Amino acid sequence: LFLWGLGGRGDVFQQFCKEEKICLYGVTDITQDCIGQNTKYGNKIVSNSYVLQGGGFIIASNKRVYDYLIEQNAGLSVLNLEMYCPI
């Protein structure tokens, strides 16, 4: 399970995962400034290419990211978090 998007919705999702003891294999964002660091929730920030090649399920934090991921590879398993978390 990966998260793509470190904005407000991504932050809320990471908090939820931490509280529910859901393990994220990595998180990424369109900006690649913090690769190798951890978020305040302890999740490793990884590169976009790592997530794309990871073969896991990707939680897209918004529709823009979701659309981008669908365009990249129709075989990716992606969920648009914005549909379920309208903040």
Side-chain angles (χ1 to χ4, degrees):
L1 182 63
F2 295 99
L3 171 65
W4 192 306
L6 294 173
R9 192 174 292 110
D11 192 62
V12 168
F13 185 72
Q14 286 183 84
Q15 181 179 2
F16 169 79
C17 289
K18 184 172 183 166
E19 289 171 358
E20 298 300 319
K21 299 184 179 23
I22 298 169
C23 178
L24 294 173
Y25 288 108
V27 298
T28 194
D29 195 65
I30 196 74
T31 60
Q32 299 282 278
D33 300 337
C34 301
I35 293 172
Q37 297 178 23
N38 290 334
T39 68
K40 65 183 177 183
Y41 300 103
N43 296 306
K44 186 76 160 183
I45 301 173
V46 298
S47 70
N48 294 348
S49 59
Y50 181 82
V51 173
L52 290 171
Q53 296 169 3
F57 190 83
I58 304 170
I59 304 294
S61 65
N62 60 53
K63 185 172 179 351
R64 184 176 53 93
V65 170
Y66 176 81
D67 290 344
Y68 169 78
L69 292 170
I70 294 302
E71 289 175 11
Q72 294 304 302
N73 183 339
L76 291 173
S77 298
V78 184
L79 179 128
N80 179 5
L81 184 60
E82 188 172 1
M83 290 182 63
Y84 305 98
C85 183
I87 62 168

